[in-house]
Coordinates of all heavy atoms in Angstrom, one line a residue:
I71 N -146.7 -192.7 -43.1 CA -147.7 -192.9 -42.1 C -147.1 -193.5 -40.8 O -147.3 -193.1 -39.7 CB -148.8 -193.8 -42.6 CG1 -149.4 -193.2 -43.9 CG2 -149.9 -194.0 -41.6 CD1 -150.1 -191.8 -43.7
W72 N -146.3 -194.5 -41.1 CA -145.6 -195.2 -40.0 C -144.6 -194.2 -39.3 O -143.8 -193.5 -40.0 CB -144.8 -196.4 -40.5 CG -144.1 -197.2 -39.4 CD1 -144.6 -198.2 -38.7 CD2 -142.8 -196.9 -38.9 NE1 -143.7 -198.6 -37.8 CE2 -142.5 -197.9 -37.9 CE3 -141.8 -196.1 -39.3 CZ2 -141.3 -197.9 -37.2 CZ3 -140.6 -196.1 -38.6 CH2 -140.4 -197.1 -37.6
G73 N -144.7 -194.1 -38.0 CA -143.8 -193.2 -37.3 C -144.3 -191.8 -37.2 O -143.6 -190.9 -36.6
Y74 N -145.4 -191.5 -37.8 CA -146.0 -190.1 -37.8 C -147.4 -190.1 -37.2 O -148.4 -190.2 -37.9 CB -146.0 -189.5 -39.2 CG -144.7 -189.3 -39.8 CD1 -144.1 -190.3 -40.6 CD2 -144.0 -188.1 -39.5 CE1 -142.8 -190.1 -41.1 CE2 -142.7 -187.9 -40.0 CZ -142.1 -188.9 -40.8 OH -140.9 -188.7 -41.3
D75 N -147.5 -190.1 -35.9 CA -148.8 -190.2 -35.2 C -149.7 -189.0 -35.6 O -150.9 -189.1 -35.4 CB -148.6 -190.3 -33.7 CG -148.0 -191.6 -33.2 OD1 -148.1 -192.6 -34.0 OD2 -147.5 -191.6 -32.1
S76 N -149.2 -188.0 -36.1 CA -150.0 -186.8 -36.5 C -151.0 -187.1 -37.6 O -152.0 -186.5 -37.8 CB -149.1 -185.6 -36.9 OG -148.3 -186.0 -38.0
W77 N -150.7 -188.2 -38.3 CA -151.6 -188.6 -39.4 C -152.9 -189.3 -38.9 O -153.9 -189.4 -39.5 CB -150.9 -189.6 -40.4 CG -150.2 -188.9 -41.5 CD1 -148.9 -188.7 -41.6 CD2 -150.8 -188.3 -42.6 NE1 -148.6 -188.0 -42.8 CE2 -149.8 -187.8 -43.4 CE3 -152.1 -188.2 -43.1 CZ2 -150.0 -187.1 -44.6 CZ3 -152.3 -187.6 -44.3 CH2 -151.3 -187.0 -45.1
L78 N -152.8 -190.0 -37.7 CA -153.9 -190.8 -37.2 C -155.2 -190.1 -37.1 O -156.2 -190.7 -37.6 CB -153.5 -191.5 -35.9 CG -152.3 -192.5 -36.0 CD1 -152.0 -193.0 -34.6 CD2 -152.7 -193.6 -37.0
P79 N -155.4 -188.9 -36.5 CA -156.7 -188.3 -36.5 C -157.3 -188.1 -37.9 O -158.5 -188.3 -38.0 CB -156.4 -187.0 -35.8 CG -155.2 -187.1 -35.0 CD -154.3 -188.1 -35.8
T80 N -156.5 -187.8 -38.8 CA -157.0 -187.6 -40.2 C -157.5 -188.9 -40.8 O -158.6 -189.0 -41.4 CB -155.9 -187.0 -41.1 OG1 -155.5 -185.7 -40.6 CG2 -156.4 -186.8 -42.5
L81 N -156.7 -190.0 -40.6 CA -157.1 -191.3 -41.1 C -158.3 -191.8 -40.4 O -159.2 -192.4 -41.1 CB -155.9 -192.3 -40.9 CG -154.6 -192.0 -41.7 CD1 -153.6 -193.0 -41.4 CD2 -154.9 -191.8 -43.2
V82 N -158.4 -191.6 -39.1 CA -159.7 -192.0 -38.4 C -160.9 -191.3 -39.0 O -161.9 -191.9 -39.3 CB -159.5 -191.8 -36.9 CG1 -160.9 -191.9 -36.2 CG2 -158.5 -192.8 -36.3
Y83 N -160.7 -190.0 -39.2 CA -161.9 -189.2 -39.7 C -162.3 -189.7 -41.1 O -163.4 -189.9 -41.4 CB -161.5 -187.7 -39.8 CG -162.6 -186.9 -40.4 CD1 -163.7 -186.5 -39.7 CD2 -162.5 -186.5 -41.8 CE1 -164.7 -185.8 -40.3 CE2 -163.5 -185.8 -42.4 CZ -164.6 -185.4 -41.7 OH -165.6 -184.7 -42.3
L84 N -161.3 -189.9 -42.0 CA -161.6 -190.3 -43.3 C -162.2 -191.7 -43.4 O -163.0 -192.0 -44.3 CB -160.3 -190.3 -44.2 CG -159.7 -189.0 -44.5 CD1 -158.4 -189.1 -45.2 CD2 -160.7 -188.1 -45.2
S85 N -161.9 -192.6 -42.4 CA -162.4 -193.9 -42.4 C -163.7 -194.1 -41.7 O -164.2 -195.2 -41.7 CB -161.3 -194.9 -41.8 OG -161.2 -194.6 -40.4
Q86 N -164.3 -193.1 -41.2 CA -165.6 -193.2 -40.5 C -166.7 -193.3 -41.6 O -166.8 -192.5 -42.5 CB -165.8 -192.0 -39.6 CG -164.9 -191.9 -38.5 CD -165.0 -193.0 -37.5 OE1 -166.1 -193.3 -37.0 NE2 -163.9 -193.7 -37.3
R87 N -167.6 -194.3 -41.4 CA -168.7 -194.5 -42.3 C -169.6 -193.2 -42.3 O -170.2 -192.8 -43.3 CB -169.5 -195.7 -41.9 CG -170.7 -196.0 -42.8 CD -171.3 -197.3 -42.5 NE -170.5 -198.4 -42.7 CZ -170.2 -199.0 -43.9 NH1 -170.7 -198.4 -44.9 NH2 -169.5 -200.0 -44.0
S88 N -169.6 -192.5 -41.1 CA -170.5 -191.4 -41.0 C -170.1 -190.2 -41.9 O -170.9 -189.2 -42.0 CB -170.6 -190.9 -39.5 OG -169.3 -190.5 -39.1
V89 N -168.9 -190.2 -42.4 CA -168.5 -189.2 -43.3 C -169.5 -189.1 -44.5 O -169.7 -188.0 -45.0 CB -167.0 -189.4 -43.8 CG1 -166.7 -188.5 -45.0 CG2 -166.1 -189.3 -42.7
G90 N -170.0 -190.2 -45.0 CA -171.0 -190.2 -46.0 C -170.5 -190.3 -47.4 O -171.3 -190.3 -48.4
Y91 N -169.2 -190.5 -47.6 CA -168.7 -190.7 -48.9 C -167.4 -191.4 -48.8 O -166.8 -191.5 -47.7 CB -168.4 -189.3 -49.6 CG -167.7 -188.3 -48.8 CD1 -166.3 -188.3 -48.7 CD2 -168.4 -187.3 -48.1 CE1 -165.7 -187.3 -47.9 CE2 -167.8 -186.4 -47.3 CZ -166.4 -186.4 -47.2 OH -165.8 -185.5 -46.4
T92 N -166.9 -192.0 -49.9 CA -165.6 -192.7 -49.8 C -164.5 -191.8 -50.3 O -164.7 -190.9 -51.1 CB -165.7 -193.9 -50.7 OG1 -166.1 -193.6 -52.0 CG2 -166.6 -195.0 -50.1
V93 N -163.3 -192.0 -49.8 CA -162.2 -191.1 -50.1 C -161.0 -192.0 -50.5 O -160.5 -192.8 -49.7 CB -161.8 -190.3 -48.8 CG1 -160.6 -189.4 -49.1 CG2 -162.9 -189.5 -48.3
P94 N -160.5 -191.9 -51.7 CA -159.3 -192.6 -52.1 C -158.1 -191.9 -51.4 O -158.0 -190.7 -51.3 CB -159.2 -192.4 -53.6 CG -160.1 -191.2 -53.9 CD -161.1 -191.1 -52.8
F95 N -157.2 -192.7 -50.9 CA -156.0 -192.2 -50.2 C -154.8 -192.9 -50.7 O -154.6 -194.1 -50.5 CB -156.2 -192.4 -48.7 CG -155.2 -191.7 -47.9 CD1 -155.2 -190.4 -47.7 CD2 -154.2 -192.5 -47.2 CE1 -154.2 -189.7 -46.9 CE2 -153.3 -191.9 -46.4 CZ -153.3 -190.5 -46.2
V96 N -153.9 -192.2 -51.4 CA -152.7 -192.8 -52.0 C -151.6 -192.4 -51.0 O -151.4 -191.3 -50.6 CB -152.4 -192.2 -53.4 CG1 -151.1 -192.7 -53.9 CG2 -153.5 -192.6 -54.3
I97 N -150.8 -193.4 -50.6 CA -149.7 -193.3 -49.8 C -148.4 -193.6 -50.6 O -148.3 -194.6 -51.2 CB -149.7 -194.2 -48.6 CG1 -151.0 -194.1 -47.8 CG2 -148.5 -194.1 -47.7 CD1 -151.3 -195.1 -46.8
T98 N -147.4 -192.6 -50.5 CA -146.2 -192.9 -51.2 C -145.1 -193.0 -50.1 O -145.2 -192.5 -49.0 CB -145.8 -191.7 -52.2 OG1 -145.6 -190.5 -51.4 CG2 -146.8 -191.6 -53.2
S99 N -144.0 -193.7 -50.5 CA -142.9 -193.9 -49.6 C -141.6 -194.0 -50.4 O -141.6 -194.1 -51.6 CB -143.1 -195.2 -48.8 OG -143.4 -196.3 -49.6
Y100 N -140.5 -193.9 -49.7 CA -139.2 -194.0 -50.4 C -138.9 -195.4 -50.9 O -138.3 -195.6 -52.0 CB -138.0 -193.6 -49.5 CG -138.1 -192.2 -49.1 CD1 -138.2 -191.8 -47.7 CD2 -138.1 -191.1 -50.0 CE1 -138.3 -190.5 -47.3 CE2 -138.1 -189.8 -49.6 CZ -138.2 -189.5 -48.3 OH -138.3 -188.2 -47.9
T101 N -139.4 -196.5 -50.2 CA -139.1 -197.8 -50.6 C -140.3 -198.7 -50.4 O -141.3 -198.3 -49.6 CB -138.0 -198.5 -49.7 OG1 -138.4 -198.6 -48.4 CG2 -136.7 -197.6 -49.8
V102 N -140.4 -199.8 -51.0 CA -141.5 -200.8 -50.8 C -141.5 -201.2 -49.3 O -142.6 -201.3 -48.7 CB -141.4 -202.0 -51.7 CG1 -142.4 -203.1 -51.4 CG2 -141.6 -201.5 -53.2
E103 N -140.4 -201.4 -48.7 CA -140.3 -201.9 -47.3 C -141.0 -200.8 -46.4 O -141.8 -201.2 -45.5 CB -138.9 -202.1 -46.9 CG -138.3 -203.3 -47.6 CD -137.8 -203.1 -49.0 OE1 -137.6 -201.9 -49.4 OE2 -137.6 -204.0 -49.7
E104 N -140.7 -199.5 -46.6 CA -141.3 -198.5 -45.8 C -142.8 -198.4 -46.1 O -143.6 -198.2 -45.2 CB -140.7 -197.1 -46.1 CG -139.3 -197.0 -45.6 CD -138.7 -195.6 -45.8 OE1 -139.4 -194.7 -46.5 OE2 -137.6 -195.3 -45.3
G105 N -143.2 -198.6 -47.4 CA -144.6 -198.6 -47.7 C -145.4 -199.8 -47.0 O -146.5 -199.6 -46.6
E106 N -144.7 -200.9 -46.9 CA -145.4 -202.0 -46.2 C -145.6 -201.7 -44.8 O -146.7 -202.1 -44.2 CB -144.5 -203.3 -46.4 CG -144.5 -203.8 -47.8 CD -143.5 -204.9 -48.1 OE1 -142.6 -205.1 -47.2 OE2 -143.6 -205.6 -49.1
D107 N -144.7 -201.0 -44.1 CA -144.9 -200.5 -42.8 C -146.1 -199.6 -42.7 O -146.9 -199.7 -41.8 CB -143.6 -199.8 -42.2 CG -142.5 -200.8 -42.0 OD1 -142.7 -202.0 -41.9 OD2 -141.3 -200.3 -41.9
D108 N -146.2 -198.7 -43.7 CA -147.3 -197.8 -43.7 C -148.6 -198.5 -43.8 O -149.6 -198.2 -43.2 CB -147.2 -196.8 -44.9 CG -146.1 -195.8 -44.8 OD1 -145.6 -195.6 -43.6 OD2 -145.6 -195.3 -45.8
G109 N -148.6 -199.6 -44.7 CA -149.8 -200.4 -44.9 C -150.3 -201.1 -43.6 O -151.5 -201.2 -43.3
E110 N -149.3 -201.5 -42.8 CA -149.6 -202.2 -41.5 C -150.3 -201.2 -40.6 O -151.2 -201.6 -39.9 CB -148.4 -202.8 -40.9 CG -147.8 -204.0 -41.6 CD -146.5 -204.5 -41.1 OE1 -146.1 -204.0 -40.0 OE2 -145.9 -205.3 -41.7
V111 N -149.9 -199.9 -40.6 CA -150.6 -198.9 -39.8 C -152.0 -198.8 -40.2 O -152.9 -198.7 -39.4 CB -149.8 -197.6 -39.9 CG1 -150.6 -196.5 -39.2 CG2 -148.4 -197.7 -39.2
V112 N -152.3 -198.7 -41.5 CA -153.6 -198.6 -42.0 C -154.5 -199.8 -41.7 O -155.6 -199.7 -41.2 CB -153.6 -198.3 -43.5 CG1 -155.1 -198.3 -44.1 CG2 -152.9 -196.9 -43.8
E113 N -153.9 -201.0 -41.9 CA -154.6 -202.2 -41.6 C -155.0 -202.2 -40.1 O -156.2 -202.6 -39.8 CB -153.8 -203.4 -41.9 CG -153.7 -203.7 -43.4 CD -152.7 -204.8 -43.8 OE1 -152.0 -205.3 -42.9 OE2 -152.6 -205.1 -44.9
E114 N -154.1 -201.9 -39.2 CA -154.5 -201.9 -37.8 C -155.6 -200.9 -37.5 O -156.5 -201.1 -36.7 CB -153.2 -201.5 -37.0 CG -153.5 -201.6 -35.5 CD -152.2 -201.3 -34.6 OE1 -151.1 -201.5 -35.1 OE2 -152.4 -200.9 -33.5
L115 N -155.5 -199.7 -38.1 CA -156.5 -198.7 -37.9 C -157.9 -199.2 -38.3 O -158.9 -198.9 -37.6 CB -156.2 -197.4 -38.7 CG -157.2 -196.3 -38.7 CD1 -156.9 -195.3 -37.7 CD2 -157.4 -195.8 -40.1
L116 N -157.9 -199.9 -39.4 CA -159.2 -200.4 -39.9 C -159.8 -201.6 -39.1 O -160.9 -202.0 -39.3 CB -159.1 -200.8 -41.4 CG -158.8 -199.7 -42.3 CD1 -158.6 -200.2 -43.7 CD2 -159.9 -198.6 -42.3
T117 N -159.1 -202.1 -38.1 CA -159.6 -203.1 -37.2 C -160.4 -202.5 -36.1 O -161.1 -203.2 -35.4 CB -158.5 -204.0 -36.6 OG1 -157.7 -203.2 -35.8 CG2 -157.7 -204.7 -37.7
K118 N -160.3 -201.2 -35.9 CA -161.0 -200.5 -34.8 C -162.4 -200.2 -35.2 O -162.8 -200.1 -36.3 CB -160.3 -199.1 -34.5 CG -158.8 -199.2 -34.3 CD -158.5 -199.4 -32.9 CE -157.0 -199.2 -32.6 NZ -156.1 -200.2 -32.9
D119 N -163.3 -200.2 -34.2 CA -164.8 -200.0 -34.4 C -165.1 -198.7 -35.1 O -164.5 -197.7 -34.8 CB -165.5 -200.0 -33.0 CG -165.6 -201.4 -32.4 OD1 -165.4 -202.4 -33.2 OD2 -165.8 -201.5 -31.2
G120 N -165.9 -198.8 -36.1 CA -166.4 -197.7 -36.8 C -165.5 -197.2 -38.0 O -165.9 -196.4 -38.7
N121 N -164.3 -197.8 -38.1 CA -163.4 -197.4 -39.2 C -163.7 -198.4 -40.4 O -163.7 -199.6 -40.2 CB -162.0 -197.5 -38.8 CG -161.7 -196.5 -37.7 OD1 -162.3 -195.5 -37.5 ND2 -160.6 -196.7 -36.9
V122 N -163.9 -197.8 -41.6 CA -164.2 -198.6 -42.8 C -163.2 -198.2 -43.9 O -162.9 -197.1 -44.1 CB -165.6 -198.2 -43.2 CG1 -166.0 -199.0 -44.5 CG2 -166.6 -198.4 -42.1
G123 N -162.7 -199.3 -44.5 CA -161.8 -199.0 -45.6 C -161.4 -200.3 -46.3 O -161.6 -201.4 -45.7
E124 N -160.8 -200.2 -47.4 CA -160.3 -201.4 -48.1 C -159.1 -201.0 -49.0 O -159.0 -199.8 -49.4 CB -161.4 -202.0 -49.0 CG -161.9 -201.1 -50.1 CD -163.0 -201.7 -50.9 OE1 -164.1 -201.6 -50.5 OE2 -162.7 -202.3 -52.0
C125 N -158.3 -201.9 -49.3 CA -157.1 -201.7 -50.0 C -157.4 -201.7 -51.5 O -158.0 -202.7 -52.0 CB -156.0 -202.7 -49.7 SG -154.4 -202.4 -50.6
C126 N -157.1 -200.7 -52.3 CA -157.3 -200.7 -53.7 C -156.2 -201.4 -54.4 O -156.4 -202.2 -55.3 CB -157.4 -199.3 -54.2 SG -158.9 -198.4 -53.6
W127 N -154.9 -201.1 -54.0 CA -153.8 -201.8 -54.5 C -152.7 -201.8 -53.4 O -152.5 -200.8 -52.7 CB -153.2 -201.4 -55.8 CG -152.5 -200.1 -55.9 CD1 -151.2 -199.9 -55.5 CD2 -153.0 -198.8 -56.4 NE1 -150.9 -198.6 -55.7 CE2 -151.9 -197.9 -56.2 CE3 -154.2 -198.4 -56.9 CZ2 -152.1 -196.6 -56.6 CZ3 -154.3 -197.1 -57.3 CH2 -153.3 -196.2 -57.2
E128 N -152.1 -202.9 -53.2 CA -151.1 -203.1 -52.2 C -149.8 -202.4 -52.6 O -149.6 -202.0 -53.7 CB -150.8 -204.6 -51.9 CG -152.0 -205.3 -51.3 CD -151.7 -206.8 -51.0 OE1 -150.5 -207.2 -51.2 OE2 -152.6 -207.5 -50.6
C129 N -148.9 -202.1 -51.6 CA -147.7 -201.4 -51.9 C -146.9 -202.1 -53.0 O -146.7 -203.3 -52.9 CB -146.9 -201.3 -50.6 SG -145.4 -200.3 -50.7
E130 N -146.4 -201.3 -53.9 CA -145.6 -201.7 -55.0 C -144.7 -200.6 -55.5 O -144.9 -199.5 -55.1 CB -146.5 -202.2 -56.2 CG -147.4 -201.1 -56.7 CD -148.3 -201.5 -57.8 OE1 -148.6 -202.7 -58.0 OE2 -148.9 -200.6 -58.5
R131 N -143.7 -201.0 -56.3 CA -142.9 -199.9 -56.8 C -143.7 -199.0 -57.7 O -144.6 -199.4 -58.4 CB -141.8 -200.6 -57.7 CG -140.8 -199.6 -58.3 CD -139.8 -200.3 -59.2 NE -139.1 -199.3 -59.9 CZ -139.5 -198.9 -61.1 NH1 -140.6 -199.3 -61.7 NH2 -138.8 -197.9 -61.8
N132 N -143.5 -197.7 -57.5 CA -144.2 -196.7 -58.2 C -143.4 -196.3 -59.5 O -142.4 -195.7 -59.5 CB -144.3 -195.4 -57.4 CG -145.1 -194.3 -58.1 OD1 -145.6 -194.4 -59.2 ND2 -145.2 -193.2 -57.4
T133 N -144.0 -196.8 -60.7 CA -143.3 -196.5 -61.9 C -143.3 -195.0 -62.3 O -142.5 -194.6 -63.2 CB -144.0 -197.3 -63.1 OG1 -145.4 -196.9 -63.1 CG2 -143.9 -198.8 -62.9
F134 N -144.1 -194.2 -61.6 CA -144.1 -192.8 -61.8 C -143.2 -192.0 -60.8 O -143.1 -190.8 -60.8 CB -145.5 -192.2 -61.7 CG -146.4 -192.8 -62.7 CD1 -147.3 -193.8 -62.3 CD2 -146.4 -192.5 -64.0 CE1 -148.2 -194.4 -63.2 CE2 -147.3 -193.1 -64.9 CZ -148.2 -194.1 -64.5
G135 N -142.6 -192.8 -59.9 CA -141.7 -192.2 -58.9 C -140.4 -191.7 -59.5 O -140.1 -191.9 -60.7
S136 N -139.6 -191.0 -58.7 CA -138.3 -190.4 -59.2 C -137.3 -191.5 -59.6 O -137.3 -192.6 -59.0 CB -137.7 -189.6 -58.1 OG -136.4 -189.1 -58.4
N137 N -136.6 -191.2 -60.6 CA -135.5 -192.1 -61.0 C -134.2 -191.8 -60.3 O -133.2 -192.5 -60.3 CB -135.3 -192.1 -62.5 CG -136.4 -192.7 -63.2 OD1 -136.9 -193.7 -62.8 ND2 -136.8 -192.2 -64.4
K138 N -134.2 -190.6 -59.6 CA -132.9 -190.2 -58.9 C -132.9 -190.8 -57.5 O -133.8 -190.7 -56.8 CB -133.0 -188.7 -58.9 CG -131.7 -188.1 -58.2 CD -131.8 -186.6 -58.2 CE -130.5 -186.1 -57.5 NZ -130.6 -184.6 -57.3
E139 N -131.7 -191.3 -57.2 CA -131.5 -191.9 -55.9 C -131.4 -190.8 -54.9 O -130.8 -189.7 -55.1 CB -130.2 -192.7 -55.8 CG -130.1 -193.5 -54.5 CD -128.9 -194.4 -54.6 OE1 -128.5 -194.8 -55.7 OE2 -128.5 -194.8 -53.5
R140 N -132.1 -191.0 -53.7 CA -132.1 -190.0 -52.7 C -131.1 -190.3 -51.6 O -131.1 -191.4 -51.0 CB -133.5 -189.9 -52.0 CG -133.6 -188.9 -50.9 CD -135.1 -188.9 -50.4 NE -135.3 -187.7 -49.6 CZ -135.1 -187.6 -48.3 NH1 -134.6 -188.7 -47.7 NH2 -135.4 -186.5 -47.6
E141 N -130.1 -189.5 -51.5 CA -129.0 -189.7 -50.5 C -129.5 -189.2 -49.1 O -130.0 -188.1 -48.9 CB -127.8 -188.9 -50.9 CG -127.2 -189.3 -52.2 CD -126.6 -190.7 -52.2 OE1 -126.2 -191.2 -51.1 OE2 -126.7 -191.4 -53.2
T142 N -129.5 -190.1 -48.1 CA -129.8 -189.8 -46.8 C -128.8 -190.4 -45.8 O -128.1 -191.4 -46.2 CB -131.2 -190.3 -46.3 OG1 -131.1 -191.8 -46.3 CG2 -132.3 -189.9 -47.3
K143 N -128.6 -189.8 -44.7 CA -127.7 -190.3 -43.7 C -128.1 -191.6 -43.1 O -127.3 -192.4 -42.6 CB -127.5 -189.2 -42.6 CG -126.8 -188.0 -43.1 CD -126.7 -186.9 -42.0 CE -126.1 -185.7 -42.5 NZ -125.9 -184.6 -41.5
S144 N -129.4 -191.9 -43.1 CA -129.9 -193.1 -42.5 C -130.2 -194.2 -43.4 O -130.8 -195.2 -43.1 CB -131.2 -192.8 -41.7 OG -132.2 -192.3 -42.6
N145 N -129.7 -194.1 -44.7 CA -129.9 -195.2 -45.6 C -129.4 -196.5 -45.1 O -128.3 -196.7 -44.5 CB -129.1 -195.0 -46.9 CG -129.8 -194.0 -47.9 OD1 -130.8 -193.4 -47.5 ND2 -129.3 -194.0 -49.1
T146 N -130.3 -197.5 -45.2 CA -129.9 -198.9 -44.9 C -129.0 -199.4 -46.0 O -129.3 -199.2 -47.2 CB -131.1 -199.8 -44.8 OG1 -132.0 -199.3 -43.8 CG2 -130.7 -201.2 -44.4
K147 N -127.8 -199.9 -45.6 CA -126.9 -200.4 -46.7 C -127.5 -201.3 -47.7 O -128.2 -202.2 -47.3 CB -125.7 -201.1 -46.0 CG -124.6 -201.4 -47.0 CD -123.4 -201.9 -46.3 CE -122.3 -202.2 -47.3 NZ -121.0 -202.2 -46.8
G148 N -127.4 -200.9 -49.0 CA -127.9 -201.7 -50.0 C -129.3 -201.4 -50.4 O -129.9 -201.9 -51.4
T149 N -130.0 -200.4 -49.7 CA -131.3 -200.0 -50.0 C -131.3 -198.7 -50.8 O -130.6 -197.8 -50.4 CB -132.1 -199.8 -48.7 OG1 -132.2 -201.0 -48.0 CG2 -133.6 -199.4 -49.0
V150 N -132.0 -198.7 -51.9 CA -132.0 -197.5 -52.7 C -133.3 -196.7 -52.3 O -134.4 -197.3 -52.4 CB -132.0 -197.8 -54.2 CG1 -132.2 -196.6 -55.0 CG2 -130.7 -198.5 -54.6
Y151 N -133.2 -195.4 -52.0 CA -134.3 -194.6 -51.6 C -134.6 -193.7 -52.8 O -133.6 -193.1 -53.4 CB -134.0 -193.8 -50.4 CG -133.9 -194.6 -49.1 CD1 -132.8 -195.4 -48.9 CD2 -134.9 -194.5 -48.2 CE1 -132.7 -196.1 -47.7 CE2 -134.8 -195.2 -47.0 CZ -133.7 -196.0 -46.8 OH -133.6 -196.8 -45.6
R152 N -135.8 -193.5 -53.1 CA -136.3 -192.6 -54.2 C -137.5 -191.9 -53.8 O -138.4 -192.5 -53.1 CB -136.5 -193.4 -55.5 CG -135.3 -194.2 -56.0 CD -135.7 -194.8 -57.4 NE -134.7 -195.8 -57.8 CZ -133.5 -195.6 -58.3 NH1 -133.2 -194.3 -58.4 NH2 -132.7 -196.5 -58.6
E153 N -137.6 -190.6 -54.1 CA -138.9 -189.9 -53.8 C -140.0 -190.6 -54.5 O -139.9 -191.0 -55.7 CB -138.8 -188.4 -54.4 CG -137.7 -187.6 -53.7 CD -138.1 -187.1 -52.3 OE1 -139.3 -187.1 -51.9 OE2 -137.1 -186.8 -51.6
N154 N -141.1 -190.9 -53.7 CA -142.3 -191.6 -54.3 C -141.9 -192.9 -54.9 O -142.5 -193.3 -55.9 CB -143.0 -190.7 -55.2 CG -143.4 -189.4 -54.6 OD1 -144.0 -189.4 -53.5 ND2 -143.2 -188.3 -55.3
G155 N -140.9 -193.6 -54.3 CA -140.4 -194.8 -54.9 C -141.4 -196.0 -54.9 O -141.3 -196.9 -55.7
A156 N -142.4 -195.9 -53.9 CA -143.4 -197.0 -53.8 C -144.7 -196.3 -53.5 O -144.7 -195.1 -53.1 CB -143.0 -197.9 -52.7
W157 N -145.8 -197.0 -53.8 CA -147.1 -196.4 -53.5 C -148.1 -197.5 -53.3 O -147.9 -198.7 -53.6 CB -147.6 -195.5 -54.6 CG -147.8 -196.1 -56.0 CD1 -147.5 -197.3 -56.5 CD2 -148.5 -195.4 -57.1 NE1 -147.8 -197.5 -57.8 CE2 -148.5 -196.3 -58.2 CE3 -149.0 -194.2 -57.3 CZ2 -149.0 -196.0 -59.4 CZ3 -149.6 -193.9 -58.5 CH2 -149.6 -194.8 -59.6
Q158 N -149.2 -197.1 -52.7 CA -150.4 -198.0 -52.4 C -151.6 -197.1 -52.4 O -151.5 -195.9 -52.2 CB -150.2 -198.7 -51.2 CG -150.0 -197.9 -49.9 CD -149.5 -198.6 -48.7 OE1 -150.3 -199.5 -48.2 NE2 -148.3 -198.3 -48.3
C159 N -152.8 -197.7 -52.5 CA -154.0 -196.9 -52.4 C -155.0 -197.6 -51.6 O -155.2 -198.8 -51.6 CB -154.6 -196.7 -53.8 SG -156.0 -195.6 -53.8
W160 N -155.7 -196.8 -50.7 CA -156.8 -197.3 -49.9 C -158.0 -196.5 -50.2 O -157.9 -195.3 -50.6 CB -156.4 -197.1 -48.4 CG -155.2 -197.9 -48.0 CD1 -153.9 -197.6 -48.3 CD2 -155.2 -199.2 -47.4 NE1 -153.1 -198.7 -47.8 CE2 -153.9 -199.6 -47.3 CE3 -156.3 -200.0 -46.9 CZ2 -153.6 -200.8 -46.7 CZ3 -156.0 -201.2 -46.3 CH2 -154.6 -201.6 -46.2
L161 N -159.2 -197.1 -50.0 CA -160.4 -196.4 -50.1 C -161.1 -196.3 -48.7 O -161.4 -197.4 -48.1 CB -161.4 -197.1 -51.1 CG -162.6 -196.4 -51.5 CD1 -162.3 -195.1 -52.2 CD2 -163.4 -197.3 -52.4
F162 N -161.2 -195.2 -48.1 CA -161.7 -195.0 -46.8 C -163.2 -194.5 -46.8 O -163.6 -193.8 -47.7 CB -160.9 -193.9 -46.1 CG -159.5 -194.3 -45.7 CD1 -158.4 -193.5 -45.8 CD2 -159.3 -195.6 -45.1 CE1 -157.2 -193.8 -45.5 CE2 -158.0 -195.9 -44.7 CZ -156.9 -195.1 -44.9
G163 N -163.8 -194.8 -45.7 CA -165.2 -194.2 -45.4 C -166.3 -195.0 -46.1 O -166.1 -196.1 -46.6
G164 N -167.4 -194.3 -46.2 CA -168.6 -194.9 -46.9 C -169.8 -194.2 -46.4 O -169.8 -193.4 -45.5
A165 N -170.9 -194.6 -47.0 CA -172.2 -194.0 -46.6 C -172.9 -195.0 -45.7 O -172.7 -196.2 -45.7 CB -173.0 -193.8 -47.9
D166 N -173.8 -194.4 -44.8 CA -174.6 -195.2 -43.9 C -175.6 -196.0 -44.6 O -176.1 -195.6 -45.6 CB -175.2 -194.3 -42.8 CG -174.2 -193.9 -41.8 OD1 -173.2 -194.6 -41.6 OD2 -174.4 -192.8 -41.2

C-alpha cells in the first residue's frame, strides 16, 4: 500500500460508510517494517471525513507466509524478505 497511490481510490471506496457493508481487507508485505508503513497509510486514510474502519490485527509476522528468502537488489542489509512475510487486517466501511 505504501508507495502505491493506485490503491488509494479503492481504499477510500471500501472505507465509505455509504457502501452499506463492512469489508475485511488483509494486507501482506515482505517484512514487518514494510507492513508497518502500509498500516500508517491506512491509519492516515481513516482520519479523513467519511472514511470508516478499524484494525482487526496489527502488522505481525505471517506464520503462513513463505519460508523461502526472497532475493532482491534493494534488500536492506540484514533484512530478510519473504513473500507474504507479514500481514495485518483492517475492517472497512459500514452501514448507515
Side-chain angles (χ1 to χ4, degrees):
I71 303 300
W72 181 89
Y74 295 92
D75 290 342
S76 59
W77 272 103
L78 292 178
T80 300
L81 297 178
V82 168
Y83 176 78
L84 293 176
S85 67
Q86 295 295 305
R87 182 172 296 281
S88 61
V89 170
Y91 47 84
T92 55
V93 179
F95 188 74
V96 175
I97 302 170
T98 62
S99 54
Y100 295 119
T101 66
V102 170
E103 292 78 17
E104 286 183 356
E106 289 169 344
D107 290 340
D108 292 338
E110 289 175 9
V111 170
V112 174
E113 287 173 351
E114 182 178 336
L115 173 99
L116 294 176
T117 65
K118 309 273 194 276
D119 287 339
N121 296 337
V122 179
E124 62 184 85
C125 184
C126 297
W127 73 78
E128 294 182 6
C129 186
E130 63 185 13
R131 183 180 165 275
N132 180 2
T133 57
F134 302 102
S136 176
N137 290 322
K138 183 179 177 187
E139 187 172 341
R140 183 176 193 274
E141 297 295 329
T142 66
K143 293 179 182 178
S144 62
N145 277 13
T146 303
K147 188 172 182 160
T149 301
V150 176
Y151 291 74
R152 299 182 194 285
E153 296 286 339
N154 302 312
W157 65 347
Q158 61 193 292
C159 183
W160 295 82
L161 191 61
F162 288 137
D166 284 335

